[in-house]
Amino acid sequence: MVVDPSSAVRGAGLRATAGRVAVLETLASVSHVTANDVYRSVCEQLPTTSIQSVHNVLADLTSVGLIRRIEPAGSAALYERRVDDNHHHVICSGCGAVQDVDCVVGHAPCLTPSSAAGFAIQAAEVTFWGLCPECQTATR
Ligand SMILES: [Zn+2]
Ligand SMILES: [Zn+2]
């Protein structure tokens, strides 16, 4: 199921502006990138765009659920197109490389705390930290 970016934007109830379409197109090919990375790539198609407008577009697309924002500790917010599958992330504590890992259960919340203090739990965000293969080789 591949939806072209402008239909995806319209399907979410937003106007398919050039900026929104360009950001979504960028995130279809790369994932876990910062707003600055997105900006650099969007600039190639839309030289007049600004970092502020990219930030606005990222916020719009995140709020309608077209993209997902993750905020690993110690890193800038990262954006990705893969949404709605409750996947998790494994992050290298050496170089910051991020990879997707599938959710074992497949839907949120995949973890239930032993005591939820009366909260109705909706999601569990799991981040696995470790050393990527390159960093393991480098430390050996
Ligand atoms: Zn690494
Ligand atoms: Zn991801």
Side-chain angles (χ1 to χ4, degrees), residues 6-111:
S6 49
S7 322
V9 172
R10 278 194 299 271
L14 295 177
R15 256 185 341 115
T17 61
R20 286 172 181 155
V21 171
V23 166
L24 213 53
E25 259 167 13
T26 296
L27 288 174
S29 52
V30 290
S31 49
H32 316 122
V33 287
T34 65
N36 279 327
D37 297 330
V38 174
Y39 171 66
R40 268 194 294 276
S41 157
V42 168
C43 269
E44 288 166 18
Q45 302 171 57
L46 300 171
T48 57
T49 198
S50 68
I51 183 72
Q52 187 53 49
S53 69
V54 166
H55 274 289
N56 293 343
V57 166
L58 288 168
D60 290 345
L61 297 179
T62 304
S63 68
V64 297
L66 282 178
I67 60 174
R68 179 169 159 190
R69 171 191 166 103
I70 59 167
E71 290 178 79
S75 155
L78 305 174
Y79 296 89
E80 65 180 336
R81 181 74 178 94
R82 188 176 164 187
V83 293
D84 287 338
D85 63 352
N86 200 55
H87 74 270
H88 304 298
H89 295 102
V90 57
I91 303 181
C92 178
S93 50
C95 68
V98 181
Q99 287 291 325
D100 287 334
V101 285
D102 289 336
C103 180
V104 179
V105 181
H107 56 81
C110 57
L111 291 175

